[in-house]
Amino acid sequence: MSELFHVGISGARGRMGRAVSQALDAREDVMVPVRFDWGETPELGLCDVVIDFSTAEASTALAGTCAERGGPALVIGSTGFTPEQEAALAAASERIAIVRSGNFSLGVNILIGLVEHAALRLDARDWDIEITEAHHRKKIDAPSGTALMLGEAAAAGRGHDLAELRSPPHDGVGEARKVGSIGFASVRAGGIVGDHTVLFASDDETLTLSHSAIDRSLFAKGAIAAAAWVRTRKPGFYDMQDVLGFRQA
């Protein structure tokens, strides 16, 4: 049996929090000493690592608290962070180990690599990039964190930051599409777990790369793998590319 480790769950009553709880309860090598939500005061000292699927505000506050205490490590799946909150997470990572990802799926993280490679090979003067994502009606941020990760990968393939290439939503009558820009479209409906599509389109052909999440448990499994990995790491800001060994530490 693997070494027993202790995992707390932040955002425990949310969709992902419940999925993480169910996945952890099925394992014999994990104990869950605390399950909590925003506004509650957990005993963080009981945890080796906390898995956090809450909100950007709650995650930022939790990271600050953990940094002040010198632990535990964090796995953060919240999205929709402001630049100020991003800076606060980066500051916290100087004192604790943090894995943050907009998506903990193995398939999505492989898709990110494919998108970057395709963007590198397909000339921006000939190929447009549009990213479409769909989620359940209760998701409050758009585009999704995963869609932005895909956009960042596409921009990196073209040698730019996403901020330089991201176009505003197509709506109404305006200017023609700018060469090399990256567009986004979001759908919020029903109970869709998560669908992401990256369309590369030229005048002659299209290439579509996509991923569909069938069950929310796949994200929980990835987050737990990240928790097992990060609990022994030195302070720093990591992502799933690190966890999966795609990037050398």
Side-chain angles (χ1 to χ4, degrees):
M1 182 182 297
S2 301
E3 178 187 355
L4 186 70
F5 66 105
H6 299 77
V7 182
I9 303 174
S10 172
R13 298 185 187 91
R15 287 170 178 258
M16 275 306 306
R18 295 195 302 271
V20 170
S21 286
Q22 185 175 8
L24 286 173
D25 289 342
R27 294 179 56 138
E28 296 182 354
D29 60 339
V30 178
M31 289 189 63
V32 184
V34 292
R35 307 171 202 244
F36 61 97
D37 283 286
W38 178 241
E40 299 175 351
T41 306
E43 181 47 71
L44 296 174
L46 300 175
C47 306
D48 299 311
V49 59
V50 173
I51 297 176
D52 170 47
F53 284 92
S54 54
T55 65
E57 181 182 6
S59 297
T60 304
L62 177 62
T65 299
C66 292
E68 290 175 0
R69 300 179 71 263
L74 287 176
V75 173
I76 298 176
S78 307
T79 57
F81 291 88
T82 66
E84 292 77 16
Q85 290 167 335
E86 294 274 6
L89 291 181
S93 72
E94 295 177 3
R95 301 190 64 183
I96 60 172
I98 298 176
V99 172
R100 183 167 73 93
S101 179
N103 195 303
F104 285 92
S105 158
L106 173 61
V108 162
N109 281 281
I110 292 175
L111 175 62
I112 288 169
L114 294 174
V115 167
E116 182 172 351
H117 189 72
L120 173 66
R121 296 294 181 180
L122 300 176
D123 195 317
R125 294 169 295 182
D126 299 322
W127 292 81
D128 301 322
I129 300 177
E130 291 284 327
I131 299 171
T132 304
E133 55 93 359
H135 285 83
H136 55 86
R137 65 170 67 94
K138 295 183 179 180
K139 186 170 178 59
I140 61 175
D141 60 308
S144 68
T146 301
L148 293 173
M149 290 166 63
L150 292 167
E152 289 164 357
R158 290 185 166 175
H160 293 273
D161 292 329
L162 179 58
E164 300 175 72
L165 302 182
R166 182 175 176 178
S167 67
H170 305 302
D171 185 28
V173 179
E175 297 180 356
R177 193 182 200 283
K178 293 183 179 180
V179 174
S181 64
I182 298 175
F184 291 85
S186 297
V187 174
R188 296 289 176 266
I192 300 171
V193 175
D195 294 337
H196 294 86
T197 299
V198 182
L199 173 68
F200 294 84
S202 73
D203 289 338
D204 309 304
E205 57 184 326
T206 62
L207 169 65
T208 302
L209 301 174
S210 65
H211 177 273
S212 293
I214 298 171
D215 190 283
R216 195 165 276 104
S217 64
L218 73 91
F219 306 123
K221 291 174 183 176
I224 293 168
W229 181 88
V230 78
R231 66 192 175 97
T232 59
R233 302 292 159 172
K234 63 183 181 181
F237 218 168
Y238 305 98
D239 60 22
M240 283 300 286
Q241 302 294 302
D242 297 302
V243 175
L244 295 172
F246 295 155
R247 182 187 301 119
Q248 295 298 319

